[in-house]
Amino acid sequence: MDTQTTTHAAPGTPLPPIISVDDHTVEPADVWQHRLPKKYLDTGPRVVRAPLKEMTFLGGRFKPVMGEPGDDGPIGDWWVYEDLHRPLTRLDTAVGYSRDEIKLEVITYEQMRPGSYDVPSRLADMDVNHVQSALCFPTFPRFCGQTFTEAADRELGLLCVRAYNDWMVEEWCGPQAQGRLIPLPLIPLWDPELAAAEVRRNAARGVRAVAFSEIPPHLGLPSIHTDDWDPFLQACAETRTIIAMHIGSSSRMPSTSADAPPAVGSTITFANCCYSMVDWLMSGKFERFPDLKVMYAEGQIGWIPYILERADVVWEENRAWGGVADKVHRPPSELFTEHVYGCFFDDAFGLKNLDSIGVGNVLYETDYPHSDSTWPKSREVGEAQMGHLPPDVVERIVRGNAIELLGLTPEGLWEGPK
């Protein structure tokens, strides 16, 4: 196995057990087939084994084409849902492979690391990586449920969202997880009232986080600047449910051109988080919903100080024509401190500028099992990058902030339904 990450400094402060706020689950093949009404089993999500005809990932767009039985081409497992064909790929579960082996290729469940989809195996891989607890984003539904939002049948889509959430709470984060896996449900993005109801349904089960899109208009949905999302935001504020936004949760990764290679997008993935955060800071929502909190998964943190500086300047100097003076009454940097969390797994620059971000606004992650993951060396990476920080600061970043934000026990575990 390849360690995937090289550290460059001797550890200073020993890292406490990690609470990762951005890992991923690959859903078992039977999640929806076991939970949907019979009439939907032929159109709802299911897995088939088929050859790959072609697959590209250019300009931030992932385009796979499934072949027919008997066609030439590598064989993989595909999620099929309505007209969608989405393969499992090596990028979905890359840990344990050397960098030269991690390619854009289709795979089967048998070729996947079991910790990607199996709870006991996940806990074992967490033990190897000094991780106590983990919040996991989805794979087939995509990072905030875009798969169901883009589907034609809304009734089926709602059933799929609820089925995923039931599996997430009752099985993935169920008794065998021992409180170490933290639930992250989805919402029906196409209907804010239904979304609010789903937030409340899951909050009643002890859930304190929900996935959302970083830039909803990219999905054909209203922007944060409208009042359309208010029922959903009100539900989150009332239940103290944090809104978790992952890079790519608007189905469009940052890029510069239609033919730009993936390396371009991978370098600037933080851009969507940047755009989204400015949207929220200038929307007035944090003043209307003072208990609302948002976090940005896999966006890193080094870019935050300049954006806060710039936002404060714009808010002050452009107040006569900037369009926000009537709804944003405090400097955006102050709103950030009270409402926004940045998440990182490998950001030495950001940690050197921690005073300009705020110790209380930073969360740690490992991104298991993706290609960017620091597994199985997350402890070593963290100690190398945080060695200059006092132990109490390291404790807050690695686990303390997450415990408070996600309503975990003092020991860092999810209690489940109260």
Side-chain angles (χ1 to χ4, degrees), residues 48-56 62-67 71-79 85-93 97 101-112:
V48 301
R49 188 157 291 183
L52 171 70
K53 187 174 181 180
E54 62 178 299
M55 182 162 59
T56 60
F62 176 48
K63 295 181 180 180
V65 180
M66 188 173 77
D71 286 352
D72 292 334
I75 301 296
D77 283 334
W78 296 68
W79 281 100
H85 300 139
R86 197 281 192 192
L88 297 177
T89 76
R90 176 55 60 210
L91 299 188
D92 293 327
T93 172
Y97 287 80
E101 293 177 302
I102 301 173
K103 301 176 182 178
L104 184 59
E105 58 185 359
V106 296
I107 61 171
T108 65
Y109 276 92
E110 289 79 8
Q111 296 170 307
M112 190 182 302

Side-chain angles (χ1 to χ4, degrees), residues 66 72 117 122 277 289 332:
M66 188 173 77
D72 292 334
Y117 59 86
R122 172 61 64 92
M277 189 181 80
F289 302 100

Side-chain angles (χ1 to χ4, degrees), residues 31 137 140 146 177 221 295 352 354-355 381 410:
V31 168
F137 285 83
F140 168 69
Q146 305 102 291
L221 300 170
M295 62 168 261
K352 291 175 182 176
L354 190 60
D355 288 345
V381 172

Side-chain angles (χ1 to χ4, degrees), residues 143-187:
F143 296 140
C144 67
Q146 305 102 291
T147 295
F148 305 126
T149 301
E150 295 166 359
D153 189 332
R154 294 294 199 215
E155 181 180 356
L156 173 56
L158 180 59
L159 290 172
C160 286
V161 167
R162 289 174 174 167
Y164 176 85
N165 292 343
D166 290 345
W167 169 80
M168 167 65 64
V169 173
E170 298 166 7
E171 293 195 33
W172 183 251
C173 301
Q176 66 175 342
Q178 304 169 36
R180 298 179 61 187
L181 295 175
I182 306 162
L184 178 66
L186 306 173
I187 55 170

Side-chain angles (χ1 to χ4, degrees), residues 28-350:
D30 61 2
V31 168
W32 289 275
Q33 292 292 298
H34 281 182
R35 290 170 180 79
L36 292 178
K38 284 187 177 181
K39 68 176 183 177
Y40 287 121
L41 296 184
D42 291 335
T43 53
R46 57 207 182 278
V47 172
V48 301
R49 188 157 291 183
L52 171 70
K53 187 174 181 180
E54 62 178 299
M55 182 162 59
T56 60
F57 190 13
L58 293 173
R61 299 284 187 175
F62 176 48
K63 295 181 180 180
V65 180
M66 188 173 77
E68 298 293 333
D71 286 352
D72 292 334
I75 301 296
D77 283 334
W78 296 68
W79 281 100
V80 178
Y81 170 48
E82 293 190 339
D83 295 329
L84 175 67
H85 300 139
R86 197 281 192 192
L88 297 177
T89 76
R90 176 55 60 210
L91 299 188
D92 293 327
T93 172
V95 293
Y97 287 80
S98 72
R99 291 298 182 189
D100 291 333
E101 293 177 302
I102 301 173
K103 301 176 182 178
L104 184 59
E105 58 185 359
V106 296
I107 61 171
T108 65
Y109 276 92
E110 289 79 8
Q111 296 170 307
M112 190 182 302
R113 191 171 184 86
S116 302
Y117 59 86
D118 176 72
V119 172
S121 299
R122 172 61 64 92
L123 298 185
D125 278 355
M126 289 164 63
D127 289 340
V128 168
N129 201 31
H130 195 59
V131 174
Q132 178 190 27
S133 305
L135 181 80
C136 296
F137 285 83
T139 297
F140 168 69
R142 311 218 294 284
F143 296 140
C144 67
Q146 305 102 291
T147 295
F148 305 126
T149 301
E150 295 166 359
D153 189 332
R154 294 294 199 215
E155 181 180 356
L156 173 56
L158 180 59
L159 290 172
C160 286
V161 167
R162 289 174 174 167
Y164 176 85
N165 292 343
D166 290 345
W167 169 80
M168 167 65 64
V169 173
E170 298 166 7
E171 293 195 33
W172 183 251
C173 301
Q176 66 175 342
Q178 304 169 36
R180 298 179 61 187
L181 295 175
I182 306 162
L184 178 66
L186 306 173
I187 55 170
L189 288 162
W190 59 89
D191 188 321
E193 293 285 356
L194 289 176
E198 193 61 15
V199 167
R200 292 190 171 95
R201 183 174 83 95
N202 289 297
R205 302 195 274 188
V207 176
R208 289 283 300 274
V210 65
F212 189 64
S213 173
E214 60 201 352
I215 309 176
H218 285 348
L219 303 178
L221 300 170
S223 80
I224 285 299
H225 300 289
T226 71
D227 294 334
D228 296 66
W229 294 107
D230 284 4
F232 165 66
L233 301 183
Q234 182 66 38
C236 291
E238 287 178 3
T239 60
R240 302 298 176 96
T241 297
I242 185 170
I243 297 174
M245 293 171 282
H246 195 283
I247 58 166
S249 56
S250 53
S251 297
R252 188 184 303 179
M253 294 297 287
S255 192
T256 55
S257 65
D259 59 350
V264 173
S266 293
T267 303
I268 57 175
T269 51
F270 73 91
N272 278 6
C273 298
C274 174
Y275 301 156
S276 177
M277 189 181 80
V278 174
D279 253 354
W280 281 88
L281 293 176
M282 298 298 190
S283 70
K285 299 302 183 185
F286 292 141
E287 297 193 64
R288 290 188 56 207
F289 302 100
D291 293 322
L292 203 62
K293 295 182 185 296
V294 304
M295 62 168 261
Y296 289 100
E298 207 171 320
Q300 311 300 342
I301 59 175
W303 53 273
I304 291 175
Y306 170 71
I307 293 302
L308 294 179
E309 177 184 277
R310 178 61 183 163
D312 280 356
V313 169
V314 169
W315 175 79
E316 173 65 28
E317 296 188 355
N318 298 355
R319 59 184 179 273
W321 61 273
V324 298
D326 62 334
K327 56 185 178 181
V328 181
H329 305 113
R330 298 164 56 199
S333 60
E334 290 186 10
L335 297 174
F336 171 89
T337 299
E338 296 177 8
H339 299 276
V340 183
Y341 295 78
C343 310
F344 78 99
F345 55 79
D346 188 1
D347 192 341
F349 180 82

